[in-house]
Structures are given as C-alpha cells and as structure tokens.
Amino acid sequence: MALMFLTETIRAYRERDPAARSDLEVFLCYPGLHAVAIHGLSSFLWRHKMLTFGRFVSHIGRFLTGIEIHPGAKLGRRLIIDHGLGVVIGETAEIGDDVYIYHQVTLGGTSAQAGKRHPTVGDNVIIGAGAKVLGAISVGEGARIGANAVVVASVPAGTTVVGIPARPVERTGKARFDAYGTPADPCLDPLLQEVDILRNELTELENRISRLARDRIF
Ligand SMILES: CC(C)(COP(=O)(O)OP(=O)(O)OC[C@H]1O[C@@H](n2cnc3c(N)ncnc32)[C@H](O)[C@@H]1OP(=O)(O)O)[C@@H](O)C(=O)NCCC(=O)NCCS
C-alpha cells in the first residue's frame, strides 16, 4: 500500500513538475516527497496513540526536509509539496487529493483553542508560494491561491484568489492543474480574451447601427 502511494506520488511529480526528469531524481531529490513519506509514519504513530513518538518522527521530518507537517494532519493522495522549504501544515488541517503546494505555505490556525482550527483544502487545489491559509476555513475543489496571498475566509470551488486579505480575481472555474498557476488553455489566454471582448463589442455596435438604419433615424 505504502509503495503504491509512493509510486503514484512520484508519477504525479513527473506529470506536473516540468523540472522532474526521472523517477529516481524525484525519489532522491524532492523533499516534499520525503516529508509526505515521513508523515505516513508519524501519522500512524499518532493514530495509535503514540503521540510523543509521532511528534518526534514529525520533528525529524522537519529537520531533514524543512517541511513541518503535524502528525494529526490528514493528507490526501498524490500531494505535491514543491521546493517545500518553510511549509507548515497544522494539526487539524485536511488536504484532499492532487493538491499542489509551493514553498513557504502555511496551513495555520488563528486560535489557541483545541479542536478544528486549521483549513480544509479540497481536491486539485494549487497554493502559490508564500501563501498563508488561516483558520478553520475551506478551500473548494480546483481553487487556486496566488503567491503570497493571505486567505482568511473560505474560497469557493474553482476560484482564484490573490492578495491580502485574499480576494477573487476574474478568471475562475479552472479545475485542472496548470504548472506554476499559469493558463495552459489557449481560450484563457489574456490576449485572446481581449480579442473576444472586442469582437463582441464590434458585433454589438454593428447590430445597433443596423437597428438605427432600419428605424431610419439617419
Ligand atoms: C494567482 C495565480 C494562479 C493567478 O494566475 P492567473 O489566473 O493566470 O491570473 P493573472 O496572472 O491573469 O492575474 C489576474 C490578476 O491578478 C493579479 N495577480 C496575479 N497573481 C497575483 C498574486 N500572487 N498577488 C497579487 N495579485 C496577483 C494580476 O496582476 C492580475 O491583476 P489585474 O487583473 O489587475 O491585471 C498566479 O498569479 C500565481 O500566483 N500562481 C502561483 C505561482 C507560484 O507560486 N509559483 C512558484 C513557483 S516556484
């Protein structure tokens, strides 16, 4: 089972990170992969009530990778933590499948109270470098969080949010992964979108002129 999770995660790195050139390279050189594998052990210990030992294994993972994942956090399959350094994932954080997280991301709490206090992240979410996602909020499936955003409210599925505090930007509804959060679908190219807008305005003007001519206004 663990081998299957490892293999599919390596495959995910190969498919989604343009810098990943071979399975061996991912296996040896990707701290995000190592951190998730170590989390598998620390989480097992945590769930079997070996709490201090679980924390200790998590601490070793942090020492080796620079990525801190609390053993209580629930991680989905094929999680990619790219570059990884400085990532912090809190105790009650929950992460869906096929999530892509860059370095310096925090899934943190805003309260010192026990209980659910960290975010729930849906499937296929991308979290840009340096983003902070804070509190027991949810990030909907396919959402994208811009680099350095501070997210303090839930993000609807498919929405892209940027800034501090994070707010939606125009382009929404992208459910599939785009490496580095850039649009791969030519229909979403900003220039093509501008051309589409101009074309629609031109058609509208033509229609208005036709209507005016028909009504013999000039
Ligand atoms: C958020 C993101 C996914 C948006 O990508 P997008 O949908 O292509 O959006 P655009 O680039 O067209 O930007 C839309 C608007 O948001 C702004 N914007 C984009 N990213 C932003 C960010 N991180 N912070 C603040 N504003 C941002 C743009 O300036 C633009 O504003 P405008 O409409 O006033 O011109 C992308 O900018 C991003 O931050 N990706 C993360 C990449 C990353 O962390 N890479 C690390 C590699 S090591």
Side-chain angles (χ1 to χ4, degrees):
M1 191 64 123
L3 189 63
M4 190 189 84
F5 286 164
L6 190 68
T7 311
E8 68 176 16
T9 308
I10 290 175
R11 197 177 313 128
Y13 273 93
R14 293 288 308 280
E15 285 169 6
R16 299 172 71 176
D17 179 2
R21 283 173 304 182
S22 72
D23 288 1
L24 184 65
E25 185 178 297
V26 175
F27 181 70
L28 292 176
C29 307
Y30 278 69
L33 181 75
H34 306 155
V36 168
I38 293 168
H39 175 76
L41 176 59
S42 70
S43 161
F44 174 86
L45 296 167
W46 187 262
R47 281 180 279 119
H48 289 81
K49 306 294 172 215
M50 289 177 266
L51 304 185
T52 305
F53 197 25
R55 283 303 300 268
F56 183 63
V57 169
S58 158
H59 178 66
I60 291 173
R62 176 177 180 269
F63 182 77
L64 293 175
T65 65
I67 297 167
E68 180 174 329
I69 309 176
H70 193 284
K74 296 190 174 76
L75 309 185
R77 291 170 66 171
R78 298 173 296 277
L79 169 63
I80 293 181
I81 304 178
D82 202 356
H83 306 296
L85 195 65
V87 165
V88 176
I89 299 176
E91 179 183 357
T92 62
E94 295 165 75
I95 300 180
D97 295 335
D98 300 300
V99 171
Y100 203 111
I101 293 177
Y102 285 103
H103 49 288
Q104 302 286 346
V105 163
T106 298
L107 302 184
T110 50
S111 136
Q113 311 239 313
K116 176 73 174 166
R117 61 193 186 282
H118 299 100
T120 299
V121 176
D123 297 343
N124 281 306
V125 168
I126 302 170
I127 308 182
K132 313 290 178 248
V133 187
L134 304 174
I137 59 175
S138 61
V139 180
E141 185 178 335
R144 304 195 307 163
I145 295 172
N148 284 330
V150 178
V151 185
V152 289
S154 290
V155 179
T159 307
T160 299
V161 295
V162 300
I164 305 173
R167 306 222 187 274
V169 289
E170 290 281 301
R171 194 180 294 135
T172 59
K174 298 178 75 184
R176 68 184 184 76
F177 173 76
D178 300 305
Y180 290 81
T182 54
D185 183 343
C187 296
L188 294 170
D189 183 299
L191 281 177
L192 290 181
Q193 284 185 322
E194 287 296 326
V195 170
D196 266 354
I197 291 167
L198 288 173
R199 196 182 288 147
N200 289 339
E201 284 177 356
L202 194 61
T203 309
E204 175 65 17
L205 282 173
E206 282 172 355
N207 290 341
R208 286 175 68 181
I209 290 170
S210 310
R211 277 199 302 275
L212 289 171
R214 195 184 55 220
D215 297 345
R216 296 174 189 282
I217 287 179
F218 55 74

